[in-house]
Amino acid sequence: MTENQSRVRVQKINLDISGMSCASCAGGAEATLAQTPGVLQARVNFATSKTIIEYDPQKIDLPRIAKIVKEMGYTVVTKKSIFPIEGLHCASCVASSEEAIMGIPRVISAAVNLASSRATVEYVDDLDVTALKRAVSEAGYELGAESATLEDVSLTAEREIKSLRSRFILAITLGVIIMVLGFVPEFTGKAYLLWALATQVQFGAGWRFYKGMWAALRHRRADMNTLIALGSSAAYFYSVVAVLFPHAFVSGVIEANLYFDTSALIIALILFGHFLEASARGRTTGAIKKLIGLRPNTASVIRNGQEFSISVEDVQLGDLVLVRPGERVPVDGVIRQGYSAVDESMISGESLPVDKKVGNEVIGATINKTGSFEFEATRVGKDTTLSHIVRLVEEAQGSKAPIQRLADIIAGYFVPAVIGIALLTFAIWFFFGPEPPLNYALLNFVAVLIIACPCALGLATPTAIIVGTGLGAEHGILIRSAETLEKAHRIKTVLLDKTGTLTQGTPRVTDVIAIAPFTQDAILRLAASAEKSSEHPLAKAIVAEAIERKLILLLASDFNSLPGMGIEAQVDGKILALGNLKLMQEKNISVTGLVQSTDQLWEQGKTVMLLGLDGRLVGLLALSDSLKPTAKEAVLDMHRLGLEVAMVTGDNHRAASAIAREAGIDRVLAEVLPENKAAEVKKLQEQGRVVAMVGDGINDAPALAQADVGIAIGTGTDVAIETADITLMSGDLRGIPASIALSKRTMRTIRQNLFWSFAYNVILIPVAAGVLYLAFGKNGVPAGLHFILGNYGFLNPILAAAAMALSSVTVVTNSLRLRGFDPG
C-alpha cells in the first residue's frame, strides 16, 4: 500500500467524552485507544473533555470506538435525531434503511422502526443531513425533516394512508371489473380490454412494489416488494403472452388461460392489508398523542403590569404567568403568588390533586383545580417536563429490543429463501404436476411468493414496544428503551434504597437523651449548630427541631462530612463528633453510658446519632422516618410476582431490620456506605440474580448503573429522566411492580406475535407450495373447498394475497390489545 492510499483511508473524528474525573483518567483512556487495532492516533484533552482520534475505517468503525470508550467507564457524548421515513414495508426494508444510515460518517447507531415509520439516529458532532437523505433515498426510501416530532411523523403516516386508500380503491375497482368480465361470454377485443384494465392496476396502483423492488435490487437485496412484484408479474406477463400469442400454447402442457384477475386482485388485497396495517399502526401511538394533546395553546402572561394572552411557544424564561381555576399550566415554573391544588395525574399517575403554594414547582400541562396563582416560567419549549417525557417515550419507541434481533436475522434470509422455495415449487410441479403442468407450476409459484410475509416478522416486536412504552407513560412509568422493557421481565430481586424511597424521606427528631451536666436543649443546640450547613435529610430534621424549640445556634467551623459514619466540626471551641457507633469507635469515644438507651431505640427502628464532645460521649438524638403509605402493598405486589425484595441502607442492622419487618421485606443489607451500594448489587448479580435497583436517581447513581435495571422513583423531573432505565414520576412504590408487570405483559405479547408470525409462514408456505396435493391429488378436493384449493389442493393465489394481508394486521391488532392492560 502506498503512503497516499494510506492517507486516503484515514478518518479523523473529534469526540466529547464524559466521565473523566482526573488527568490520569485522560491518560489511561488515551493509551487504551492508541493501542486499539485500527486506531492510528488518539489525543485526549482532560480540560476540554475532547478526544481527537485518527482511525482506519476498514479496520475499526465509530460504533466500535464508542463501545471501547464505554467499556473503559466513560461515555461518548452523542446527539439523537428522529426522522419520519417513508416507503418501509417489511423487516428487510428496516435492515436496508439502517445499513444506508450507518454508512454516513459520524453515525453511532441507527434504529428504524417499521411500526412507527421513524428512524432514530445517534451521532457525534454535526450530522450531514443532506448526505443522510441521499443515502436513504438511494436505498429506496424517503427521509423527512430532522428532529421530527410525533406530529411530523403523523402527517407522514396520514399521507401514506391516503395513498394506500386511493391505490386500493383503484385496484379493487378494476380488479372486480376484470373478474366480472371473466364470466362474460367472449366478444371481440375482450382479452385486450382485460389487459388494458390489468395494466392500470399492475403499473398504476402496484407501481410502488416495482419501485421498492428496483431499489432493493440496486443494493443486492430482496424484500417484500420483490416477492409481490415477482408474484403478480408472473401472473400478469403470462396472461400478456397468452393474449399476444394464443396459438403458441400447446394443449395438455399449457393452457392459454388469462390470470389478469389474479394479478389485479393480488395487488388490491395486499394494498388493502397495508392500508389496514397502517391505520392500526397509527393507533399504537395513541398514548403519546394523548400526552402531546395535553399541551395548552395559549398562556396568560403579565408583562409591565398588563396581562397578555400569547402562544405557549412565545413564553420566555422569567415570564410571570397567570393560571386561573380549570386552566392547564402552560409551562414549568415556580409559584410566586397565590395557592391552589393541581391535578398532576398526567405526569405522575396520581389521581389526587397536589396542594401548591408560593415556592412550589408546577409542571406544564397539569390542571389547576381551585385557586388562581402566578408563577415564574423556569422551563419553556423543548425544556419542559412534558417535552422531556414525550422525547423520552419517542426514543424508547424507536429503540430495538434484543429479542427483535432474532426477527432481524431471519428477515435477512427470509426473502431469498422464499424465492428459492418458489422456484423449487415451480420446477417440481412443472415436471411432476398434473396437466396442464405449466399453469399449475405458475400458480403455485405465485402463491408461494405472495403468501410469504416478512411484514408480520418486522411488526411483531416494535408494535408491542410502542404500545407498552406508551401505556407506561400514561401511568407515570417512563421506560427509557426497548431493551429495558425486555430486561425488566427477567428481574428476580428488587433492591430498595431506604431513605426517600421506601420511607417518606423526611425524618423527625423523636428522642433527645443527655448525660449530665448537659440538658436536652444543649445537646440539640450543639448538634443543630454543627449540622446547619448540611443538606442531609437527618441534618435538616435536627435543625428544624432546634428552630421549633427556638434555640439559638452557635457558630461552627472545620465541618467535615464522614460518609457512612456522620460528621465532625468545631462548635464553641470544642471538637464535636456526631454520628453512628462506627464514628464513636473511630474517635475512641466510649458509649458505655448510653448502651441500654441506644439498644432500645434501635429495636424501635429509629436512627440513633451519638454526640461526642472533646472525646467523650455527652448524649444522643434519635430520629424516625416512617414508611410510605403504599410501601407494604407494593412489597406484597412484588411478592405476588415472585420477586425477592431487599433493602439497602447505611443504618445499623437493628434499625434497618425494624423497617424491613414493618414493610415485609425479605433481605436487609445494612451499614452499607453509599459508594458500596454498587458492590452489593454486583454481589447479587454474581449469585445469578437479575437485579433492579430502586433509588432517587442521583445519590444512588453508581448502584443504578450497576443494576440490570435502574429505577428512579419520585424524582422524575430532573436528572433521573436522563439517567434511569425506568423513571417513576410519582413517589408511589406500587409503580415498581406495575412496571415489571407491564414488561411481562409486553414480552408475552411479543412472543405471541413472533409465534404467530413464524407459525403463519411455516404452515402456509408449504400449503401454497402444494403440499396438500398429497392429501387431495388422487381423490380430489371436496366441492366446498374448490374456490380455496382448486381440484388438486393448490391454494388460490388470490386467497394467498388475502392471507398475507391478514397476517400483519393480526400482529398489530394483538399488540393493540395491550392498551386494555392495567399495570396497576
Side-chain angles (χ1 to χ4, degrees):
M1 186 199 313
T2 66
E3 185 179 347
N4 285 338
Q5 286 173 322
S6 179
R7 278 204 197 102
V8 169
R9 275 203 329 209
V10 172
Q11 287 193 12
K12 182 187 285 188
I13 190 72
N14 194 336
L15 303 177
D16 282 332
I17 295 181
S18 66
M20 294 185 294
S21 56
C22 61
S24 63
C25 296
E30 186 174 287
T32 301
L33 287 168
Q35 293 167 10
T36 301
V39 175
L40 306 178
Q41 189 176 39
R43 297 189 298 278
V44 180
N45 187 321
F46 171 64
T48 61
S49 295
K50 295 283 186 182
T51 300
I52 299 174
I53 299 174
E54 294 182 12
Y55 64 99
D56 183 347
Q58 293 187 6
K59 295 181 179 178
I60 191 169
D61 57 15
L62 193 52
R64 175 61 186 155
I65 292 172
K67 185 178 180 182
I68 291 169
V69 170
K70 185 176 181 180
E71 288 170 352
M72 288 190 287
Y74 312 120
T75 304
V76 173
V77 177
T78 60
K79 302 174 184 175
K80 280 187 180 179
S81 288
I82 300 174
F83 302 84
I85 184 168
E86 294 185 59
L88 300 174
H89 301 294
C90 65
S92 299
C93 300
V94 170
S96 181
S97 55
E98 284 179 347
E99 184 180 310
I101 294 170
M102 288 301 296
I104 300 300
R106 301 186 181 90
V107 172
I108 293 282
S109 68
V112 174
N113 191 303
L114 175 63
S116 62
S117 297
R118 280 182 284 181
T120 303
V121 183
E122 184 180 15
Y123 56 94
V124 297
D125 232 351
D126 291 325
L127 183 66
D128 188 342
V129 178
T130 303
L132 181 65
K133 288 185 177 181
R134 184 168 56 249
V136 173
S137 178
E138 288 172 357
Y141 315 101
E142 295 300 324
L143 211 64
E146 182 183 1
S147 300
T149 62
L150 188 67
E151 290 97 324
D152 299 326
V153 177
S154 296
L155 288 173
T156 303
E158 286 173 13
R159 285 198 302 271
E160 173 76 356
I161 290 170
K162 286 179 181 177
S163 173
L164 287 168
R165 184 192 295 117
S166 60
R167 288 172 183 271
F168 164 68
I169 290 171
L170 172 65
I172 194 65
T173 301
L174 295 180
V176 169
I177 292 172
I178 293 169
M179 186 171 66
V180 171
L181 285 174
F183 295 102
V184 173
E186 290 298 319
F187 58 87
T188 305
K190 176 182 173 181
Y192 287 92
L193 175 60
L194 293 174
W195 180 12
L197 294 173
T199 299
Q200 293 182 62
V201 178
Q202 195 72 29
F203 301 107
W207 180 248
R208 60 189 283 128
F209 302 123
Y210 286 100
K211 182 181 176 183
M213 179 182 72
W214 174 244
L217 291 177
R218 273 174 25 199
H219 290 80
R220 297 180 181 180
R221 284 183 173 274
D223 59 14
M224 184 208 70
N225 294 299
T226 310
L227 298 179
I228 297 170
L230 285 176
S232 61
S233 294
Y236 173 81
F237 284 110
Y238 175 94
S239 304
V240 170
V241 173
V243 171
L244 295 176
F245 308 105
H247 301 296
F249 290 75
V250 180
S251 179
V253 178
I254 308 172
E255 287 186 2
N257 290 341
L258 299 183
Y259 297 113
F260 287 127
D261 58 342
T262 299
S263 64
L265 289 173
I266 282 172
I267 288 174
L269 288 170
I270 290 172
L271 286 171
F272 182 57
H274 284 184
F275 167 71
L276 292 178
E277 172 198 315
S279 300
R281 273 165 31 193
R283 293 200 298 276
T284 63
T285 56
I288 195 170
K289 286 177 181 176
K290 190 183 295 182
L291 283 176
I292 291 173
L294 295 175
R295 292 185 301 202
N297 296 319
T298 60
S300 299
V301 176
I302 299 172
R303 293 175 179 169
N304 299 321
Q306 290 187 310
E307 182 183 334
F308 300 92
S309 181
I310 63 173
S311 170
V312 169
E313 286 76 16
D314 294 331
V315 176
Q316 300 175 7
L317 289 176
D319 271 343
L320 199 60
V321 183
L322 174 63
V323 183
R324 296 181 175 87
E327 294 181 344
R328 288 192 182 273
V329 179
V331 295
D332 295 2
V334 177
I335 295 179
R336 298 302 180 206
Q337 183 177 323
Y339 59 90
S340 184
V342 177
D343 179 355
E344 296 184 341
S345 58
M346 51 74 60
I347 294 289
S348 65
E350 290 289 327
S351 57
L352 293 176
V354 181
D355 290 334
K356 300 286 184 179
K357 60 181 185 298
V358 173
N360 289 157
E361 288 190 355
V362 287
I363 300 171
T366 55
I367 303 172
N368 180 30
K369 301 295 287 185
T370 53
S372 298
F373 59 86
E374 296 174 7
F375 72 94
E376 180 184 343
T378 57
R379 285 189 291 263
V380 299
K382 293 182 179 179
D383 295 326
T384 64
T385 299
L386 182 63
S387 295
H388 276 298
I389 291 171
V390 169
R391 184 72 177 183
L392 184 69
V393 176
E394 284 181 332
E395 288 181 5
Q397 293 181 343
S399 62
K400 283 193 174 184
I403 196 172
Q404 192 171 341
R405 291 174 192 150
L406 174 64
D408 289 345
I409 291 169
I410 292 173
Y413 299 100
F414 184 85
V415 175
V418 168
I419 293 173
I421 293 170
L423 291 172
L424 181 62
T425 298
F426 181 89
I428 290 172
W429 295 116
F430 181 74
F431 291 108
F432 304 107
E435 295 183 355
L438 178 60
N439 294 63
Y440 285 117
L442 175 71
L443 291 176
N444 289 338
F445 171 79
V446 171
V448 169
L449 291 175
I450 295 303
I451 205 166
C453 187
C455 301
L457 282 175
L459 291 167
T461 300
T463 51
I465 293 294
I466 287 174
V467 177
T469 51
L471 184 62
E474 283 190 84
H475 288 80
I477 302 168
L478 299 185
I479 299 166
R480 189 161 188 80
S481 67
E483 184 176 2
T484 296
L485 192 62
E486 179 173 339
K487 277 183 182 178
H489 92 284
R490 294 187 286 110
I491 290 170
K492 296 299 181 187
T493 299
V494 177
L495 187 57
L496 298 162
D497 177 52
K498 183 178 81 74
T499 305
T501 300
L502 190 62
T503 63
Q504 296 281 14
T506 52
R508 59 185 182 85
V509 176
T510 58
D511 302 87
V512 180
I513 299 175
I515 297 176
F518 290 88
T519 64
Q520 287 187 2
D521 282 356
I523 296 298
L524 184 59
R525 185 185 188 201
L526 286 166
S529 298
E531 293 277 28
K532 64 184 177 184
S533 299
S534 174
E535 292 297 316
H536 194 282
L538 295 178
K540 289 183 176 181
I542 292 170
V543 173
E545 181 68 18
I547 292 172
E548 189 174 328
R549 296 193 187 191
K550 299 180 180 178
L551 302 178
I552 298 173
L553 302 187
L554 305 168
L555 290 175
S557 61
D558 300 331
F559 178 88
N560 185 23
S561 176
L562 304 170
M565 292 191 289
I567 65 162
E568 60 180 356
Q570 276 207 356
V571 177
D572 200 23
K574 297 179 176 65
I575 298 173
L576 179 146
L578 178 65
N580 56 21
L581 184 59
K582 192 180 294 184
L583 177 61
M584 296 300 108
Q585 292 169 344
E586 182 82 15
K587 300 299 179 183
N588 294 317
I589 298 173
S590 173
V591 297
T592 305
L594 293 177
V595 169
Q596 186 176 355
S597 299
T598 302
D599 287 347
Q600 289 174 349
L601 293 168
W602 278 341
E603 290 292 347
Q604 296 169 24
K606 295 179 179 179
T607 299
V608 178
M609 300 183 71
L610 298 159
L611 180 64
L613 204 63
D614 284 342
R616 70 187 183 91
L617 188 69
V618 297
L620 65 75
L621 298 95
L623 299 94
S624 177
D625 186 8
S626 58
L627 279 177
K628 288 185 175 177
T630 58
K632 292 180 184 178
E633 185 181 344
V635 172
L636 185 61
D637 287 344
M638 285 185 261
H639 284 153
R640 288 188 183 121
L641 290 171
L643 304 173
E644 177 191 41
V645 185
M647 181 181 76
V648 61
T649 178
D651 285 354
N652 62 77
H653 276 283
R654 290 183 180 179
S657 296
I659 290 288
R661 281 195 303 272
E662 187 181 352
I665 287 172
D666 307 309
R667 187 190 299 198
V668 177
L669 306 175
E671 298 181 26
V672 178
L673 297 176
E675 61 268 25
N676 291 338
K677 288 181 180 178
E680 294 294 337
V681 172
K682 192 171 184 181
K683 286 179 186 176
L684 290 169
Q685 290 170 325
E686 288 170 351
Q687 297 170 17
R689 313 290 289 179
V690 178
V691 181
M693 173 67 197
V694 186
D696 63 10
I698 303 170
N699 298 331
D700 301 308
L704 289 169
Q706 175 64 45
D708 298 284
V709 178
I711 302 177
I713 187 164
T715 53
T717 57
D718 296 311
V719 179
I721 267 190
E722 303 299 331
T723 58
D725 295 315
I726 297 175
T727 300
L728 306 179
M729 299 300 289
S730 72
D732 193 336
L733 288 167
R734 289 175 297 184
I736 302 168
S739 61
I740 296 171
L742 176 61
S743 169
K744 289 180 181 291
R745 182 62 179 265
T746 304
M747 291 308 301
R748 191 170 83 186
T749 300
I750 289 173
R751 289 194 189 98
Q752 289 170 349
N753 287 347
L754 288 173
F755 171 80
W756 287 114
S757 300
F758 286 124
Y760 166 87
N761 287 296
V762 168
I763 294 170
L764 291 186
I765 289 177
V767 170
V771 71
L772 294 181
Y773 180 79
L774 300 175
F776 299 115
K778 290 184 178 180
N779 301 320
V781 175
L785 296 176
H786 271 197
F787 177 69
I788 300 173
L789 299 174
N791 294 323
Y792 297 105
F794 296 144
L795 185 65
N796 187 329
I798 294 173
L799 295 179
M804 188 271 198
L806 183 63
S807 64
S808 53
V809 176
T810 301
V811 165
V812 178
T813 304
N814 189 47
S815 294
L816 285 171
R817 289 173 59 238
L818 253 178
R819 292 170 66 180
F821 174 63
D822 183 2

